[in-house]
């Protein structure tokens, strides 16, 4: 009786459940135009896919795969709500019109690509949980991409990823309408593509004993499972356990077909003539010295004075050209150790024989040769922006990565070459989020302001790179890529005038739930609002801003890595002693990096009884001091005067000197004093011989801070400043128990009479 009653209540609750209503679409990348209509579509989990074109009907299986994330099935039943795929040859490639009507859903497009993208937008409009009744607002989306190249790069050499993992990555790319997968297939650390003529490339070149990058990952995996190297990446080879893997040609065909079905073109990169050690290790005749090895930065390159190098690379290119349907082959061309060519008789002879100026032109000569070769195979060349140095052919495409070489894209676009924007500072997703936050990715404008319309036309699109030296598994790939990849996708797709980071952030919130549903690791929104360092006297309160109610923070006070077994943060932490607070956010299976804060309990320093006059002693030392710690405080100065502040005075504009300011700082009341120094080139501020602000060694203008507990009265202060050349500034600010931060005033400074 009792149970039956409960069951009846449950049924009643279900019947009364108000339907979920989707009033606004939340789509990433933001479509070019959304027009809402009247009424709502009553969503059913099974739709009937209808199309009068065979290639539209072929999408049923793919849409069923993709629809799982949002509990949507495409059946054939004619009584279900129809999803009509309509062929509109007049629409541009990849563009689509999606209409959500009360009775049917229509996607119009000139090709499969547009139907696929229309379907992605439809999925983004749906709630993730469709168990309750769902009403989706009627409306029409007219959409097309801003750029036709919207790419992700994946370095499968430094660490290897299985075919299924690459496919799972591709699933996410298509969900956000990215359409190029650039696979970095070869590098010094591993050759990952079967080449039939040179079997050692993969038999040996795909396997290695642990290198320093593996060791780093293993070390970090003790605290963070996203650094674990998967066990299935190891093999016993001749009695030695080796890390690696490679794609057979069949594996690669399978990846290519999987991508093609999702409108993704696979662009292979064979990095030559540098980053080629995995080949030289096994075919040593390829290098100038017939040895593999490392120069000061980069590995020994292929020798460009030998016919055998050209033949070897042409043979590889022939197999690559045959395997990949893409019109493009990326030949790398970055970071070549040209010193080897300087020392090599054969390379020097090749420079003379071909009338070349130097080693840059030698590389360019090689590029042109390989380009002509792949052109004959019907392919076009892409290279990193170094290929601009030494001369560029008309038809090659430049992938710009070096923010510090901005002229390369200007030269290339003026020369009529296409460029792909993949800047190191904004689009390198292997960088930490602290260096490249999602907002920085989002706010990068791919077409520079100074580009003419003709030059802008040559910007083919955008790509983000994932270099995997410190990324050994897919959880880590996703951590680095999500959500930054979505910011890239919006920059690649949505017109500049429609982009708005706040709107993107709002839409991103729904995508976090999608990542979780799909079991994808991702970077949790950052914790904020906490002091990274703090000095206190009796007790301190440590507080954090947690951006998401479902995130839980765990912490330790002994420097160990926090886990869900550690103390749980609940609103604040009261500290009575010095502590290093290590904390980390968790949300279900996803966790953040470890954050750290240093809280230091100090006894208040006693003042000094001394007879003083207003001012500071300033000592001047001639010489080139790279670090303030190189300035000896007891050495005889070259000049000596009394001043009223920490400025550079008459020395501003000079180079190669140091200053020491010495005297007493007068604390008005007992309490914590926070000092800030702004310097260029560098400084160190001491109170009572204690280093309070370390703004050293030499740098551009930079503010650093530090705090100390002082009793009221006079306290010895010393500031060491060094100037080598260029910009020059020195300022000191203080926040006291009584006053907000302000420049130190003359009446706070004294020197010994
Ligand atoms: C590169 O990051 N070396 C292209
Ligand atoms: Zn050589």
């Amino acid at each position: 009786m009792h149970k039956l009653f409960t069951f009846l209540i449950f049924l009643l609750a279900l019947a009364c459940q108000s339907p979920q209503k989707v009033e606004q679409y939340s789509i990433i990348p933001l479509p070019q135009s959304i027009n809402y209509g009247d009424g709502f579509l009553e969503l059913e989990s099974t739709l009937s896919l209808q199309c009068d074109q065979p290639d539209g009907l072929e999408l049923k299986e793919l849409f069923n795969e993709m629809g799982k994330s949002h509990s949507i099935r495409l059946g054939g039943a004619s009584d279900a709500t129809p999803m009509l795929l309509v062929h509109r040859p007049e629409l541009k490639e990849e563009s689509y019109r999606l209409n959500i009507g009360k009775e049917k859903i229509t996607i119009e497009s000139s090709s499969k690509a547009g139907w696929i993208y229309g379907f992605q937008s439809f999925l983004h409009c749906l709630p993730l949980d469709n168990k309750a009744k769902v009403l989706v607002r009627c409306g029409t989306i007219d959409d097309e991409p801003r750029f036709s190249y919207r790419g992700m790069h994946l370095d499968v050499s430094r660490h290897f990823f299985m075919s299924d993992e690459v496919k799972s990555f591709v699933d996410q790319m298509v969900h956000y309408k990215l359409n190029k997968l650039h696979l970095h297939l070869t590098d010094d650390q591993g050759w990952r593509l079967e080449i039939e003529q040179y079997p050692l490339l993969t038999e040996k070149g795909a396997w290695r004993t642990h290198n320093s990058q593996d060791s780093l990952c293993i070390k970090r995996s003790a605290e963070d499972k996203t650094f674990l190297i998967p066990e299935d990446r190891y093999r016993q080879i001749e009695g030695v356990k080796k890390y690696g893997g490679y794609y057979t040609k069949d594996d690669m065909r399978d990846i290519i077909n999987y991508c093609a079905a999702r409108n993704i073109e696979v662009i292979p990169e064979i990095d030559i003539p540098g980053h080629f050690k995995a080949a030289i290790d096994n075919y040593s005749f390829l290098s100038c010295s017939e040895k593999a090895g490392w120069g000061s930065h980069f590995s020994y390159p292929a020798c460009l004075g030998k016919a055998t190098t050209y033949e070897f690379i042409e043979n590889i290119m022939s197999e690559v050209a045959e395997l990949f349907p893409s019109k493009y082959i990326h030949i790398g061309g970055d970071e070549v150790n040209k010193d080897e060519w300087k020392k090599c008789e054969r390379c020097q002879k090749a420079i003379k024989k071909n009338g070349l100026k130097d080693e840059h032109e030698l590389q360019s000569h090689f590029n042109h040769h390989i380009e002509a070769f792949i052109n004959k195979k019907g392919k076009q060349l892409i290279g990193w922006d170094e290929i601009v140095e030494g001369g560029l052919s008309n038809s090659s495409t430049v992938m710009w990565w070096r923010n510090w070489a901005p002229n390369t894209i200007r030269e290339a676009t003026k020369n009529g070459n296409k460029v792909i924007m993949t800047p190191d500072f904004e689009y390198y997703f292997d960088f930490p989020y602290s260096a490249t936050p999602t907002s920085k990715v989002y706010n990068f404008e791919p077409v520079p302001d100074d580009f003419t319309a003709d030059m802008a036309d040559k910007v083919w699109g955008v790509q983000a790179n994932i270099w995997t030296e410190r990324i050994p598994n897919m959880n880590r790939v996703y951590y680095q890529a999500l959500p930054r990849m979505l910011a890239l996708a919006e920059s690649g797709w949505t017109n500049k005038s429609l982009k708005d980071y706040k709107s993107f952030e709002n839409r991103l919130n729904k995508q976090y739930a999608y990542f979780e549903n799909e079991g994808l690791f991702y970077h949790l929104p950052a914790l904020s609002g906490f002091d990274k360092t703090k000095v206190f006297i009796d007790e301190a309160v440590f507080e954090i801003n947690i951006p998401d109610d479902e995130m839980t923070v765990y912490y330790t006070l002994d420097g160990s890595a926090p886990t869900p077994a550690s103390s749980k943060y609940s609103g604040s932490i009261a500290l009575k002693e010095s502590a290093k607070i290590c904390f980390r956010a968790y949300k279900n299976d996803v966790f953040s990096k470890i954050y750290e804060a240093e809280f230091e309990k100090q006894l208040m320093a006693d003042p000094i009884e001394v007879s003083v006059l207003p001012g500071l002693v300033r000592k001047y030392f001639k010489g080139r001091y790279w670090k303030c710690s190189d300035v000896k405080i007891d050495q005889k100065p070259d000049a000596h005067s009394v001043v009223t502040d920490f400025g550079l005075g008459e020395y501003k504009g000079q180079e190669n000197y140091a200053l020491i300011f010495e005297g007493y700082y007068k604390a008005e009341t007992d309490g914590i004093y926070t000092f800030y120094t702004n310097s260029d080139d560098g400084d160190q501020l001491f109170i009572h011989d204690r280093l309070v602000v370390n703004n050293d060694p030499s740098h551009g203008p930079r503010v650093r801070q530090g705090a100390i507990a002082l009793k009221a009265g006079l306290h010895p202060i010393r500031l060491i400043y060094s100037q080598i050349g260029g910009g020059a500034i020195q300022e000191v600010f203080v926040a006291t128990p009584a006053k907000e931060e302000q420049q130190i005033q003359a009446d706070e400074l004294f020197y010994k009479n």
Side-chain angles (χ1 to χ4, degrees):
M1 181 69 188
H2 182 71
K3 269 195 184 149
L4 182 64
F5 183 67
T6 317
F7 183 63
L8 285 175
I9 295 275
F10 172 74
L11 282 184
L12 194 66
L14 210 63
C16 297
Q17 210 169 34
S18 58
Q20 283 194 75
K21 258 190 172 177
V22 175
E23 302 268 3
Q24 270 212 319
Y25 306 155
S26 172
I27 301 170
I28 292 180
L30 185 70
Q32 309 295 6
S33 154
I34 299 176
N35 285 300
Y36 290 106
D38 293 329
F40 288 82
L41 164 78
E42 199 171 310
L43 186 71
E44 295 168 69
S45 59
T46 302
L47 304 169
S48 121
L49 189 78
Q50 299 178 13
C51 184
D52 58 8
Q53 308 279 322
D55 54 347
L57 288 176
E58 277 167 18
L59 289 171
K60 192 162 108 184
E61 202 179 319
L62 179 67
F63 283 12
N64 269 330
E65 235 354 90
M66 293 168 157
K68 275 184 199 153
S69 58
H70 292 72
S71 313
I72 286 294
R73 263 196 56 74
L74 280 302
S78 53
D79 52 352
T81 305
M83 171 174 273
L84 305 178
L85 304 184
V86 180
H87 187 230
R88 287 268 179 263
E90 67 276 18
L91 288 180
K92 277 193 250 168
E93 178 66 22
E94 295 194 317
S95 72
Y96 68 91
R97 163 178 279 207
L98 166 67
N99 177 267
I100 300 175
K102 282 186 204 157
E103 309 293 335
K104 62 176 190 281
I105 302 139
T106 314
I107 308 175
E108 297 169 50
S109 160
S110 62
S111 67
K112 263 163 94 161
W115 286 328
I116 291 171
Y117 291 159
F119 188 62
Q120 301 313 308
S121 290
F122 176 67
L123 291 179
H124 283 232
C125 291
L126 308 184
L128 286 165
D129 173 9
N130 292 342
K131 282 184 214 69
K133 195 167 156 186
V134 177
L135 298 174
V136 184
R137 175 109 174 247
C138 293
T140 303
I141 295 173
D142 285 290
D143 208 5
E144 64 180 34
R146 178 181 178 195
F147 293 111
S148 52
Y149 189 112
R150 305 178 304 281
M152 281 301 302
H153 149 288
L154 185 64
D155 169 7
V156 294
S157 168
R158 272 51 176 271
H159 281 107
F160 179 66
F161 301 92
M162 302 295 201
S163 297
D164 283 350
E165 295 175 328
V166 174
K167 289 182 191 171
S168 95
F169 188 66
V170 162
D171 291 344
Q172 302 321 317
M173 286 177 61
V174 66
H175 196 50
Y176 301 104
K177 305 188 178 84
L178 294 165
N179 66 356
K180 310 279 179 203
L181 175 65
H182 166 182
L183 286 178
H184 185 74
L185 289 164
T186 68
D187 212 304
D188 300 319
Q189 292 79 5
W191 190 281
R192 306 292 176 210
L193 181 68
E194 176 187 13
I195 300 291
E196 283 161 56
Q197 291 182 77
Y198 302 112
L200 293 183
L201 288 173
T202 45
E203 274 172 29
K204 288 187 180 292
W207 303 96
R208 66 176 187 238
T209 50
H210 281 158
N211 62 20
S212 59
Q213 294 156 354
D214 297 321
S215 304
L216 189 83
C217 288
I218 291 164
K219 191 162 164 234
R220 296 192 69 176
S221 69
E223 289 187 348
D224 187 337
K225 291 193 295 285
T226 66
F227 284 102
L228 280 174
I229 301 180
E231 263 312 308
D232 60 2
R233 256 42 43 130
Y234 291 95
R235 225 185 241 182
Q236 241 8 75
I237 296 179
E238 291 164 3
V240 180
K241 187 178 175 184
K242 293 204 169 167
Y243 171 88
Y246 66 93
Y247 308 107
T248 63
K249 286 193 169 165
D250 280 344
D251 291 337
M252 191 46 74
R253 279 187 205 103
D254 182 41
I255 291 175
I256 292 166
N257 292 339
Y258 190 88
C259 288
R262 289 154 182 79
N263 193 45
I264 291 178
E265 176 179 345
V266 181
I267 297 178
E269 180 185 354
I270 306 292
D271 203 346
I272 47 174
H275 287 273
F276 200 49
K277 186 170 173 296
I280 296 171
D281 277 338
N282 299 295
Y283 296 94
S284 57
F285 63 82
L286 289 166
S287 79
C288 295
S289 60
E290 312 248 317
K291 279 198 301 245
W294 292 90
S296 56
H297 287 94
F298 311 124
S299 59
Y300 295 166
C303 176
L304 301 192
K306 287 182 191 171
T308 43
T309 297
Y310 287 78
E311 186 191 329
F312 186 90
I313 291 172
E314 283 173 7
N315 288 339
I316 290 173
M317 289 301 166
S318 294
E319 292 195 30
V320 170
E322 201 182 304
L323 178 61
F324 289 85
S326 170
K327 211 168 83 186
Y328 298 92
I329 297 180
H330 198 307
I331 63 145
D334 57 325
E335 300 182 324
V336 179
N337 169 11
K338 297 187 179 101
D339 288 346
E340 288 300 295
W341 298 341
K342 279 195 184 128
K343 292 187 286 193
C344 170
E345 258 176 48
R346 288 196 183 89
C347 285
Q348 292 305 316
K349 222 160 111 189
I351 289 177
K352 273 212 194 83
K353 185 172 138 215
N354 295 293
L356 308 172
K357 208 166 67 208
D358 55 17
E359 290 74 25
H360 293 299
E361 288 200 358
L362 179 61
Q363 187 177 353
S364 173
H365 171 78
F366 165 77
N367 291 344
H368 293 328
H369 180 97
I370 298 300
E371 181 169 17
F373 183 82
I374 64 174
N375 285 166
K376 273 196 266 159
K377 305 260 166 198
K379 305 289 176 176
Q380 292 193 2
L381 180 146
I382 304 180
W384 298 110
D385 63 51
E386 283 95 330
I387 66 165
V388 177
E389 292 160 5
L392 200 59
S393 79
N394 286 332
S395 60
S396 49
T397 298
V398 175
M399 199 169 256
W400 182 63
W401 72 282
R402 292 178 305 164
N403 296 67
W404 53 96
N407 283 340
T408 53
I409 33 173
R410 287 164 179 81
E411 258 181 63
T413 48
K414 280 182 194 155
N415 194 45
N417 298 76
K418 283 195 290 195
V419 296
I420 300 159
M421 309 299 272
T422 177
D424 181 271
F425 296 168
E426 291 87 2
Y427 287 175
Y428 270 40
F429 288 177
D430 45 308
F431 279 28
Y433 281 81
S434 53
T436 310
T438 306
S439 57
K440 188 171 170 186
V441 178
Y442 191 86
N443 290 324
F444 176 75
E445 164 49 32
V447 179
D449 282 351
D450 63 316
F451 270 31
T452 62
D454 283 347
M455 288 161 82
D457 275 349
K458 294 291 169 195
V459 178
W460 190 12
V462 296
Q463 175 177 291
N465 298 337
I466 304 188
W467 300 101
T468 57
E469 285 93 337
R470 288 174 294 272
I471 304 181
N473 64 47
M474 283 311 285
N475 277 345
R476 194 75 203 169
V477 168
Y478 285 124
Y479 174 85
Q480 299 293 134
L482 303 177
R484 292 188 284 203
M485 189 171 96
L486 283 62
L488 175 89
E490 189 144 311
S491 293
W493 184 277
T494 308
N495 285 346
K496 183 181 170 185
S497 59
L498 295 175
K499 279 182 67 195
D500 171 52
Y501 189 63
K502 267 264 142 280
S503 140
F504 173 76
E505 266 192 320
N506 287 337
R507 284 174 285 125
L508 189 54
N509 283 335
K510 190 178 148 202
Q511 299 304 320
Y512 286 123
Y514 164 80
F515 302 156
E516 273 159 34
N517 253 20
E518 294 296 289
L520 301 169
F521 213 91
Y522 64 96
H523 177 260
L524 287 167
L527 301 176
S528 62
F530 57 89
D531 293 310
K532 286 200 182 108
T533 60
K534 190 164 184 151
V535 170
F536 66 99
I537 300 164
D538 298 318
E539 53 181 51
V541 176
F542 177 74
E543 287 175 315
I544 316 167
N545 240 335
I546 304 175
D548 177 344
D549 291 344
E550 289 176 31
M551 270 159 68
T552 310
V553 172
Y554 295 93
Y555 68 91
T556 63
L557 297 178
D558 59 2
S560 64
T563 69
S566 312
S567 306
K568 186 168 161 182
Y569 174 85
S570 51
S572 65
I573 305 172
L575 295 168
K576 288 197 181 324
E577 299 302 332
S578 294
K580 178 173 173 186
I581 310 157
C582 296
F583 52 107
R584 175 185 253 172
Y586 284 80
K587 188 174 174 191
N588 303 322
D589 293 335
V590 178
F591 49 85
S592 72
K593 68 170 186 178
I594 298 175
Y595 295 79
E596 288 179 0
E598 295 266 5
F599 272 48
E600 185 187 356
K601 183 168 180 167
Q602 286 185 8
L603 287 175
M604 277 190 284
D606 287 324
I608 304 275
E609 292 294 333
V610 58
S611 158
V612 291
L613 291 172
L616 271 179
V617 173
R618 188 189 61 192
K619 299 175 182 169
Y620 166 83
F621 304 88
K622 279 191 207 146
R624 200 166 172 79
Y625 297 95
W626 289 102
K627 300 197 294 282
C628 295
S629 49
D630 292 342
V631 186
K632 301 270 176 303
I633 55 171
D634 45 7
Q635 83 194 60
K636 193 169 169 325
D638 296 298
H640 183 279
S641 51
V642 173
V643 294
T644 55
D645 61 31
F646 290 97
L648 302 178
E650 66 273 30
Y651 299 116
K652 198 161 174 97
Q654 289 192 22
E655 295 192 341
N656 297 322
Y657 67 94
L659 300 172
I660 296 183
F661 298 84
E662 274 174 345
Y664 294 86
Y665 172 74
K666 187 172 175 196
E668 279 295 327
T669 52
D670 294 358
I672 306 293
Y673 288 75
T674 306
F675 292 87
Y676 305 81
T677 71
N678 178 23
S679 63
D680 177 356
D681 295 331
D683 73 44
Q684 288 184 322
L685 178 87
F686 297 82
I687 297 197
H688 287 285
D689 288 331
R690 180 189 182 120
L691 180 58
V692 177
V693 184
N694 191 3
N695 206 348
D696 201 31
S698 170
H699 51 74
R702 182 175 80 183
V703 177
R704 283 270 163 100
Q705 71 179 77
I708 185 165
L710 302 174
K711 281 196 180 149
L714 292 169
H715 298 271
I717 186 166
R718 183 188 327 116
L719 183 127
I720 307 178
Y721 169 78
S722 79
Q723 172 57 231
I724 297 162
I729 190 162
Q730 179 61 65
E731 295 171 324
V732 181
F733 300 80
V734 64
T736 75
K739 282 185 288 197
E740 304 254 296
E741 175 192 337
Q742 62 168 333
Q743 199 145 4
I744 288 199
Q745 304 294 304
D747 64 4
E748 294 171 289
L749 298 170
F750 299 88
Y751 73 102
K752 200 162 164 179
N753 191 357

